[in-house]
Amino acid sequence: MTQLKPLLLAAATGLALPGLATAQTVLQINSSLPEGSFAHVFLQEYETRLEAATDGGVDVQIFMSNTLGSEEDVLQGLALGTHHASLSASAIAQINPRTAIFDLPYLFEDRAAVQTFAASPAGEMMAAGFEGTGMVLAAMWDNGFRQITNSVRPIVVPADLEGLKIRTPTSRQRVEMFNTLGANATPLSFGEVYSALDQGVIDGQENPAQIVESARLYEVQEYMSLSNHVYLPTFLVFGEPYLAGVDPALAEAMVTVAAETAAWTFEWGDTTDAEVVASLADRIAINEIDFAAFQAAAAPLYDSPTFVDVIGADMIAATREALGLQ
């Protein structure tokens, strides 16, 4: 796509794009997360910006909780032309393995590092991984850092994880990460986590602070350690058949406004994280970790076939260079 700068200026200044409102185009976006989630907030902001930038030329329709079908079916539908767009997270790695770079632990210390990556050659390499998939990456938005909670002790250094049963998703990478750091990784569906913590079947779990609050995990956990061990973004992807079938100027606006919205999502994430942690302070003991110690302990994973065979050694090397970790 070309001529993105004029469109970006129009989106940023709130100016309407002339000639785009003659016939309204429907844009349906699917998300697996529920109404009221951060993803819903982001999509509503995008809807407001895009409809303003196109002078109402695009009718954005948001479908939460996989209303349009399972996340995997929707992603397949993008390439087939049966669906328009999706805001997805982990499932994207099935389409573009380079996005699994975010499974590497202690790679991104903060959101500034994530944005540095996105604007680097490594970010371009990741985006190029969508070529040939039938979909286009419009933007990478926020999601959040994962934190560790447990009922045994505060986690400050890797040795504090020794022997703890920590629930993880059913992800080979996450399991290997926690086992390498000394914990006993215990894959479990999220729906079982609260009761397993309550009954002492597991000692702890790892999720963003927002999940600790919304799922009321503080009721069955004593400590939350701000580990920031994994950052996972959300990816707004469009189907190539859909974009090819709409007015070219509208297609450019859809992609450009999505990219312009990215910075806002990261700012929102930073602010909201701080608010959530503050709100949890009187319900669970919160502590910082020794990030450098964990980063050093996790170093062997950067050469592990479990990660390298999926992500690609070139992708890992480019990311480390972009972040100054060589």
Side-chain angles (χ1 to χ4, degrees), residues 169-232:
T170 54
S171 157
R172 288 178 56 214
Q173 289 78 19
R174 201 69 50 78
V175 168
E176 182 167 337
M177 170 197 157
F178 275 95
N179 285 341
T180 297
L181 294 174
N184 292 329
T186 307
L188 199 65
S189 67
F190 184 73
E192 300 175 79
V193 170
Y194 187 98
S195 61
L197 291 170
D198 189 34
Q199 296 168 16
V201 175
I202 52 177
D203 301 308
Q205 60 85 53
E206 47 93 39
N207 260 302
Q210 293 182 51
I211 300 298
V212 177
E213 181 182 53
S214 63
R216 306 178 71 88
L217 298 182
Y218 56 83
E219 295 178 342
V220 288
Q221 297 279 261
E222 297 293 331
Y223 307 99
M224 181 168 75
S225 303
L226 302 179
S227 54
N228 283 9
H229 54 278
V230 166
Y231 176 86
L232 184 65

